[in-house]
């Protein structure tokens, strides 16, 4: 017997929660306990009184599973609101920051700098044998930049994961 | 607004919240609360013999009264022993508040004596939990915890209280009105959805009501509303294990329980229906059988207070989020306002009667006095002997539980206490303790298996201490019967570790605890034995020896559809494939 899996689609969820100890564990634990995927997760305090945090989760699943994820999140006591940013078509903006360290000399070093310029990546640190680039964009752009850097002496990457917000004047 | 210790605040909050009973066990990290309880004789503390039993007793109290059960245990092993009962309450949506002691805040995280990460461990088996770090927060948290445990879909809430927070002083505050910032369960159903439901029910030719524990949780008025709506529409009713009692079993519209060990007529009606009205039920795998064959030709209405239950397993055509009782009331009002009359469902009822004619709950038995007692017969005899006594029945988990569900009739809610979702062996006896505490003058019977009973048998001491007249009726077949039945069906009768070896002499055990012990060996002794149990004051344990190899039928084998029920042992043929074996 083989275990079957179902194909899914990518969704970005924005969740506001009480900024309390244990809330993040509650949410990530819900995903592991019920077998949902997390592609990326970001969290930070967003209110002036530090009472609310915003979590952005990129997840993957067939539509009924996405609906179930939202329903399960909504019934957690410290969760205020869950919005599926993919619900309004593609009408949202996603950004991610990566810090990319490339080491090397000669032609590879020059090529790295040239590609960084094409991607509008900033140089935030340099030595004679290395650069650290800062690149901002959607995950695809960051992925492509990192793939190119692999050919140019990539040694280390740090990524923030996706933050996202809906387009237009309305708030979450 | 008086300054008092955290421990006094806990007890004051219990008093203010109307709590009359706490089930618990003391230990180092809750001593301050126990000392505060000593000074408050209005709150009755029931000292159990194991913390798991405290949680099940609290569940029994809650299910038989509709009020939240309250548990008080110490840190570390006290808390971990409570986890099974907390999870049981989560799966069956039972309101419960569990107070756990914790090591002082200064020692948290140091692997201190009797320290465990209680909020971490219980995070996913509670509806919500708290670690209280400041005595000033105790008042609001206690009140909020009871609110969360009892509002919306009920469930267990844990409050973990470090010992120094119990000793430190602060201000006890009672929130004027609990309006939680983010937790706002939807109770009132949507009016448009109700109107659509009324029209769908009025148009249905083959409707079935499929009701669950949500109707019980919504209170006795919801059961009354269900009866009224069924009378108005003339449709048949089936129920999950959790929902038994919401609709009277002696009513002609009753099909019996549905699902794996449900009746043939209930499962066939679900399969052939053109409309299913699910009320406070959650399409559990024990109910649906094989999903792609579940009720293929029906429209489905799902009433549930928990939005996440809707479309979780079976996609439905109409979702109504709200309290089951309010939704049923609204449908009744809508039905009457629209001037609907019950449709002629004669053709549908003729088909139901055809399925009923299989007499699926019949079982083979010998009638002479010296014959082995069939377990089904024992349950039927118990039911017959207690008619009119309005007993509260609890069960353990296994074959005896299913036989009780099939053969014991209930005509009112809150009389049937069983572990449905988690299927916890060891639940029934302590649950009967909680029910008996809440109803000192009622007849409370735990229908048990000899294996399950041993999982919390230490509670015989609790029963003796509080002089509770609990009756334990053991269907003793010397097997973990349901395990053996599955081994028979799935593993060619390789009975791996399912024999109940080295059983105690239950009659002598009763004697040791100061109970009355009775033994029933054959059919001729059954009725007299049951009568003697009922008439004997105080706690009684009945060791009723039943036919050892009887199996529970009818049955939907794993991976099969409602239409593929095994009605008799002779229907069992062939061996199971791996796909079916992998299902629970």
């Amino acid at each position: 017997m083989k275990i079957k899996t179902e194909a899914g689609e990518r969704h970005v969820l924005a969740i506001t929660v009480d900024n309390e100890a244990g809330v993040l564990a509650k949410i990530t634990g819900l995903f592991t306990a019920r077998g949902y995927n997390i592609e990326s997760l970001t969290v930070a305090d967003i209110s002036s009184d530090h009472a609310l945090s915003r979590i952005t989760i990129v997840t993957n699943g067939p539509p009924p599973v996405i609906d179930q994820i939202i329903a399960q999140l909504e019934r957690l006591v410290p969760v205020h609101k869950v919005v599926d940013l993919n619900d309004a078509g593609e009408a949202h903006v996603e950004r991610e920051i990566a810090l990319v360290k490339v080491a090397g000399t000669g032609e590879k070093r020059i090529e790295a700098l040239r590609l960084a310029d094409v991607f509008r990546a900033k140089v935030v640190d340099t030595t004679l044998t290395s650069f650290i680039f800062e690149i901002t964009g959607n995950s695809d752009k960051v992925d492509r930049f990192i793939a190119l850097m692999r050919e140019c002496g990539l040694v280390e990457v740090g990524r923030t994961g996706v933050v996202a917000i809906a387009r237009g004047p309305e708030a979450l | 607004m008086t300054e008092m210790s955290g421990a006094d605040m806990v007890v004051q909050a219990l008093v203010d919240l109307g709590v009359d009973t706490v089930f618990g066990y003391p230990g180092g990290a809750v001593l301050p609360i126990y000392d505060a309880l000593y000074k408050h004789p209005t709150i009755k503390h029931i000292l159990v013999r194991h913390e798991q039993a405290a949680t099940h007793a609290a569940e029994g109290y809650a299910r038989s009264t509709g009020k939240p059960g309250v548990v008080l245990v110490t840190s570390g092993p006290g808390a971990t022993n409570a986890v099974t009962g907390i999870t049981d309450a989560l799966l069956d949506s039972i309101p419960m508040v569990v107070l756990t002691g914790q090591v002082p805040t200064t020692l948290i995280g140091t692997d201190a004596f009797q320290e465990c990460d209680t909020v971490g461990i219980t995070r996913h088996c509670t509806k919500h939990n708290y670690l209280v770090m400041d005595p000033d927060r105790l008042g609001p948290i206690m009140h909020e915890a009871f609110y969360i445990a009892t509002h919306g879909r009920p469930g267990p809430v844990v409050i973990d209280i470090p010992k120094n927070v119990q000793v430190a002083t602060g201000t006890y505050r009672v929130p004027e009105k609990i309006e939680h910032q983010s937790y706002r369960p939807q109770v009132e159903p949507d009016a448009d959805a109700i109107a659509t439901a009324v029209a769908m029910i009025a148009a249905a030719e083959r409707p079935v009501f499929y009701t669950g524990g949500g109707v019980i949780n919504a209170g006795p008025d919801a059961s009354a509303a269900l009866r009224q709506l069924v009378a108005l529409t003339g449709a048949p009713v089936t129920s999950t294990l959790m929902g038994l009692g919401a609709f009277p079993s002696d009513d002609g519209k009753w099909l019996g329980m549905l699902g794996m060990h449900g009746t043939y007529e209930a499962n066939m009606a679900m399969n052939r229906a053109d409309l299913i009205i699910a009320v406070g039920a959650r399409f559990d795998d024990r109910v649906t059988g094989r999903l792609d064959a579940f009720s293929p030709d029906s429209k489905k209405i799902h009433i549930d207070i928990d939005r996440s239950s809707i479309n979780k397993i079976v996609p439905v055509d109409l979702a109504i989020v709200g309290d089951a009782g309010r939704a049923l009331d609204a449908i009744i009002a809508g039905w009457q306002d629209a001037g609907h009359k019950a449709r002629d469902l004669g053709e549908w009822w003729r088909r139901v009667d055809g399925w009923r004619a299989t007499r699926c709950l019949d079982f083979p038995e010998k009638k002479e006095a010296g014959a082995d007692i069939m377990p089904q017969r024992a349950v039927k005899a118990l039911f017959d002997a207690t008619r009119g006594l309005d007993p509260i029945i609890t069960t353990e988990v296994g074959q005896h539980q299913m036989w009780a569900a099939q053969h014991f009739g209930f005509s009112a809610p809150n009389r049937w206490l069983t572990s449905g979702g988690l299927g916890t062996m060891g639940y029934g006896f302590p649950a009967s303790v909680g029910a008996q505490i809440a109803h000192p003058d009622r007849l409370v019977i735990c229908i048990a298996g000899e294996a399950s009973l041993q999982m919390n048998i230490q509670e015989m001491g609790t029963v003796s201490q509080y002089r509770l007249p609990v009756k334990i009726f053991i269907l003793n077949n010397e097997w973990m019967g349901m395990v053996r039945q599955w081994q028979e069906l799935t593993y060619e009768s390789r009975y791996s570790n399912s024999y109940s070896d080295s059983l105690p002499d239950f009659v002598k055990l009763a004697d040791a605890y100061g109970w009355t012990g009775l033994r029933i060996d054959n059919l001729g002794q059954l009725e007299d034995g049951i009568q003697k149990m009922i008439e004997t004051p105080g706690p009684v344990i009945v060791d009723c020896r039943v036919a050892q190899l009887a199996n529970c039928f009818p049955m939907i084998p794993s991976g099969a559809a409602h239409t593929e029920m095994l009605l008799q042992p002779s229907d069992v043929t062939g061996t199971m494939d791996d796909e079916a074996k992998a299902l629970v």
Side-chain angles (χ1 to χ4, degrees), chain B residues 134-163:
Chain B
D134 172 2
D136 283 342
R137 293 278 303 133
L138 264 173
I141 285 176
M142 287 286 294
H143 285 263
E144 187 180 283
F146 275 78
Y147 174 87
I148 288 172
T150 53
H151 284 71
R153 182 175 180 174
V157 177
V158 165
I159 310 176
D160 197 28
I161 313 172
K163 196 171 181 183

Side-chain angles (χ1 to χ4, degrees), chain B residues 148-473:
Chain B
I148 288 172
T150 53
H151 284 71
R153 182 175 180 174
V157 177
V158 165
I159 310 176
D160 197 28
I161 313 172
K163 196 171 181 183
N164 57 345
V165 174
Q166 299 170 34
V167 174
T169 56
T171 309
Y172 173 63
R173 286 190 189 78
V174 181
E176 280 177 21
K177 184 167 176 264
I178 306 252
E179 204 158 76
H180 197 272
Q181 276 203 318
S182 52
Y183 185 66
R184 304 269 175 87
Q186 184 178 343
V187 176
E188 286 301 331
D190 176 69
D192 290 342
I194 292 292
T196 309
V198 170
M200 286 167 80
I201 298 170
E205 292 174 357
R206 302 186 306 281
V208 180
F209 284 95
Y210 150 50
T211 69
V215 181
I216 312 273
N217 274 339
D221 291 350
S223 295
L226 173 65
R227 291 155 197 229
Q228 191 186 351
L229 183 59
V230 170
L232 286 171
T233 57
V237 190
T238 180
S239 155
T240 66
L241 182 72
M242 297 305 302
L244 296 178
F247 193 80
S249 62
D250 55 1
D251 189 294
K253 304 279 191 297
W254 174 243
L255 299 178
M257 182 174 77
L258 84 167
M260 184 170 272
H261 291 289
T263 65
Y264 184 67
E265 50 269 34
N267 286 330
M268 288 304 291
M270 289 293 282
N271 186 267
R272 302 286 195 252
D274 71 345
L275 178 69
I276 284 172
I277 308 122
V279 191
R282 59 183 178 86
F283 297 89
D284 178 74
D285 55 75
R286 282 293 177 278
V287 156
T288 59
R290 199 174 80 227
L291 269 178
D292 59 13
F294 174 74
S295 194
D297 303 321
S298 64
K299 296 252 189 238
K300 297 170 188 77
I301 300 172
H302 191 179
I303 301 168
D304 205 292
I305 199 153
D306 181 357
R307 208 278 267 177
S308 76
S309 284
I310 292 169
N311 293 328
K312 182 170 69 175
I313 295 162
V314 173
V316 296
D317 301 277
L318 177 66
I320 300 177
V321 179
D323 175 79
R326 308 263 181 112
L328 289 168
D329 285 342
I331 292 173
I332 291 168
W335 180 275
Q336 289 170 333
D337 288 349
H340 288 304
K341 295 273 172 282
R343 250 182 112 109
D344 176 12
L345 300 177
E347 178 54 34
W348 180 223
W349 276 108
R350 271 187 287 284
R351 294 178 70 182
V352 168
D353 288 339
W355 297 319
R356 278 175 168 166
T358 59
R359 303 190 56 85
C360 68
L361 294 179
D362 282 1
F363 50 94
E365 65 178 335
K366 296 199 176 79
K367 302 280 189 191
E368 63 267 20
D372 280 353
I373 299 168
M374 289 301 283
Q376 299 93 322
R377 174 60 56 202
V379 172
K380 282 171 92 81
L382 191 63
F383 174 48
D384 288 337
T386 56
R387 270 178 214 264
L389 300 175
D390 196 17
I392 295 172
I393 301 295
T394 75
T395 77
E396 300 288 348
V397 168
Q399 284 183 325
H400 70 276
Q401 176 191 31
M402 292 298 110
W403 282 318
Q406 290 173 338
H407 296 281
F408 206 101
F410 294 92
S411 49
N414 306 106
R415 269 85 171 157
W416 166 248
L417 321 180
T418 194
S419 171
L422 195 64
T424 309
M425 291 171 71
Y427 165 87
F429 175 34
S432 71
V433 171
Q436 189 80 73
I437 292 281
H439 306 275
D441 302 322
R442 293 271 293 278
L443 175 61
V444 179
I445 304 173
C446 170
I447 300 178
E450 83 291 337
S452 284
L453 177 63
Q454 292 183 87
M455 285 213 185
N456 269 317
I457 199 160
Q458 76 288 343
E459 295 309 308
M460 290 180 77
T462 308
V463 167
S464 300
Q465 180 178 348
Y466 297 97
R467 300 173 200 287
L468 304 174
V470 166
K471 319 294 181 200
I472 300 178
F473 189 80

Side-chain angles (χ1 to χ4, degrees), chain B residues 81-123:
Chain B
N81 280 344
V83 165
T84 301
I86 293 169
T87 313
D88 192 271
L90 182 73
L91 275 259
D92 284 347
S93 308
I94 306 303
M96 181 157 94
V97 175
V98 181
L99 307 168
T100 55
Q102 181 56 278
V103 301
T105 53
T106 47
L107 287 182
I108 287 179
T110 66
D111 301 323
F113 177 63
Q114 292 196 329
E115 182 187 2
C116 74
D117 176 12
T118 302
V119 284
I121 289 168
T122 61
R123 189 167 283 133

Side-chain angles (χ1 to χ4, degrees), chain A residues 85-96:
Chain A
L85 292 170
N86 293 75
D87 254 6
E90 286 300 309
H92 68 274
V93 182
E94 283 178 33
R95 286 295 178 271
E96 186 178 1

Side-chain angles (χ1 to χ4, degrees), chain A residues 18-34:
Chain A
D18 286 333
N19 180 19
E20 281 173 4
V23 175
L24 187 61
K26 219 170 166 63
I27 287 176
T28 53
L30 170 85
F31 274 73
T32 41
R34 296 190 183 267

